[in-house]
Amino acid sequence: MGILASAVVSILGVSFAAQAGGRPDLVVNGLKAGRPHVAGELLVKYRDGASTAGREAVQHGLGAQKLETLRGGTARKGELALLRVQPGLDLAAAVQAISDDPAVEYAEPNWIYTVGAVSNDTYYSNGSLWGMYGDASSPANQYGSQAADAWASGHTDCSNVIVGVIDEGIYYEHEDLAANIWSNPYDPVDGVDNDGNGYIDDVRGWDFDGGSNNINSGGANDDHGTHVAGTIGGVGGNGKGVAGVCWTGVKMISAKFLGRRGGTTANAVKAVDYFTDLKVRHGLNIVATNNSWGGGGFSQALQDAIARAGNAEILFIAAAGNDAYDNDATASYPSNYPNANIIAVASTTSTGGLSSFSQWGRTTVDLGAPGSAIYSTVPKTSKGKLVSGYASYSGTSMATPHVTGAAALYASTRPGATAANIKAAILNSTVPTPALQGKTVTGGRLNVSDF
């Protein structure tokens, strides 16, 4: 144990008989591997019933200042707090030291996550939107998601279904998105938190990175989140641009937590819990969140938030990652968490191959979906103003919203479907694909033709 760890232990009077929660071994491994995190910040989850004196002793021992309470504590429920520790304190040593404190359930860094897309440089009718094509569509591509076949059978409407986009913000005035952006009926713009969820005037969602109700605070830099939204719910049949898996009816809520420097665990937890609260509080039919991001180390706080979403019957659909390695051998978060409500998505090409950048995992990545050279919506700047644009991006970030759109399409005609029902339908309908055999759980690619 290092000097700093010894000092922390000495100050806190640690009882090593206490059973540590979380996975401090994975946290320390992530730190040693150089996973990006916010310098000097720790997320600390106190044990249920931990006393005020016990919590203050932990802060004192770390020389820490509480920055924020992410989840309030009660006599029965332990608080989750974001702390800033004293300068120079080694985070790995601190995590190891306080994980055995009787007041602490777990401690971990405030990991930083990033998007995973590569821009290459319109769209359905000219053959560009291959990820939506089917065997019998015109144009056709057997390696597309088969969404066009579902559309041909009359299923383009996803009314009464809501999905969350946890990402960068969304250019909500885009010509191909505006009609499918959610408007909060419980908290109109009046400067008052009418629904009491802690977010004033969250009319289209919330910017957790900037702390405001402006889900497009990044302007043209919110291209990744806008691109994801277009694949899920770009307006179809309007003679312009692209078409999402769901043409009409679907409503998308933005939880912007990724800014120009990425996003943090603390804000990711708040974003996931935001959707869980909306569903539990108001009964909104939120069936899934799209999570086209990754890069942080193991986080018990984030895994717990995903579990809370699962308890509310919300799927957490996640990108497998873009670093071309086996997720069975090296965990990639958040897609690698074992929660039953997670669907992990690899990227495929227009010729049925596993994209060269895509990560895979025979037991940890569920299926493949179109992710190479995917056209969708983006904001662009013209004469100093934001305007509607379109661009081709590649990444597991682009594959993931095809699956999120599939979840919405399936749920739209099956109002009683649980998260488990929807996940099973998506995985059981995949098309066996040689490039995915032994590389994914299903060995197949997305197929929504019968949704």
Side-chain angles (χ1 to χ4, degrees), residues 144-159:
S145 65
Q146 311 291 310
D149 289 354
W151 302 340
S153 66
H155 193 185
T156 60
D157 187 2
C158 295
S159 289

Side-chain angles (χ1 to χ4, degrees), residues 49-444:
S51 67
T52 300
R55 296 196 302 271
E56 290 178 348
V58 171
Q59 283 186 228
H60 176 71
L62 294 171
Q65 169 193 3
K66 184 194 286 189
L67 298 177
E68 188 176 0
T69 299
L70 299 185
R71 288 180 62 81
T74 65
R76 295 185 177 182
K77 183 178 68 174
E79 177 183 276
L80 176 61
L82 177 62
L83 307 182
R84 175 177 290 129
V85 302
Q86 60 182 322
L89 183 64
D90 180 82
L91 290 188
V95 166
Q96 289 174 315
I98 71 170
S99 289
D100 287 307
D101 186 274
V104 174
E105 184 174 333
Y106 61 80
E108 58 195 35
N110 196 9
W111 301 111
I112 294 175
Y113 307 99
T114 56
V115 300
V118 181
S119 178
N120 51 32
D121 233 303
T122 198
Y123 302 126
Y124 186 86
S125 60
N126 70 6
S128 298
L129 207 64
W130 74 269
M132 298 294 173
Y133 298 161
D135 294 352
S137 63
S138 180
N141 189 316
Q142 64 176 312
Y143 299 111
S145 65
Q146 311 291 310
D149 289 354
W151 302 340
S153 66
H155 193 185
T156 60
D157 187 2
C158 295
S159 289
N160 302 315
V161 175
I162 301 173
V163 296
V165 179
I166 301 177
D167 205 287
E168 295 174 346
I170 299 173
Y171 175 42
Y172 55 87
E173 294 181 325
H174 195 289
E175 63 183 2
D176 251 356
L177 294 177
N180 289 339
I181 299 297
W182 179 70
S183 181
N184 188 350
Y186 307 103
D187 197 359
V189 179
D190 59 3
V192 178
D193 180 18
N194 294 281
D195 60 359
N197 67 352
Y199 304 106
I200 297 173
D201 298 346
D202 53 322
V203 65
R204 301 178 187 88
W206 193 256
D207 174 9
F208 292 93
D209 178 61
S212 79
N213 70 342
N214 183 4
I215 65 167
N216 189 208
S217 62
N221 291 317
D222 283 333
D223 57 321
H224 187 272
T226 303
H227 197 282
V228 162
T231 297
I232 298 168
V235 176
N238 61 353
K240 64 181 70 172
V242 298
V245 177
C246 288
W247 283 18
T248 60
V250 69
K251 296 301 177 185
M252 295 177 284
I253 306 176
S254 172
K256 173 180 167 64
F257 93 107
L258 293 167
R260 300 190 71 174
R261 296 180 299 278
T264 67
T265 301
N267 286 335
V269 169
K270 288 188 285 186
V272 176
D273 280 340
Y274 175 72
F275 290 109
T276 302
D277 178 73
L278 281 175
K279 184 164 189 176
V280 172
R281 182 187 297 257
H282 300 301
L284 297 178
N285 190 28
I286 301 172
V287 301
T289 60
N290 190 91
N291 301 275
S292 291
W293 46 274
F298 174 86
S299 168
Q300 188 66 55
L302 182 55
Q303 185 179 350
D304 288 349
I306 296 169
R308 290 189 289 272
N311 291 338
E313 301 294 345
I314 301 174
L315 288 169
F316 185 94
I317 303 175
N322 294 341
D323 291 321
Y325 64 72
D326 184 351
N327 287 0
D328 287 4
T330 304
S332 178
Y333 300 109
S335 69
N336 260 70
Y337 293 120
N339 304 55
N341 60 319
I342 291 177
I343 301 178
V345 187
S347 172
T348 57
T349 70
S350 61
T351 56
L354 180 71
S355 300
S356 61
F357 52 79
S358 182
Q359 289 163 221
W360 68 90
R362 187 177 62 83
T363 65
T364 54
V365 177
D366 292 299
L367 77 167
S372 288
I374 302 300
Y375 276 92
S376 189
T377 49
V378 295
K380 292 191 174 180
T381 303
S382 176
K383 299 179 181 178
K385 295 184 178 180
L386 284 184
V387 297
S388 301
Y390 302 88
S392 172
Y393 289 0
S394 296
T396 53
S397 283
M398 283 59 256
T400 304
H402 283 88
V403 179
T404 303
L409 194 69
Y410 183 86
S412 66
T413 57
R414 299 163 180 87
T418 64
N421 295 152
I422 300 169
K423 179 176 179 177
I426 290 171
L427 300 192
N428 292 338
S429 65
T430 56
V431 178
T433 305
L436 299 174
Q437 295 292 317
K439 295 292 184 78
T440 63
V441 173
T442 61

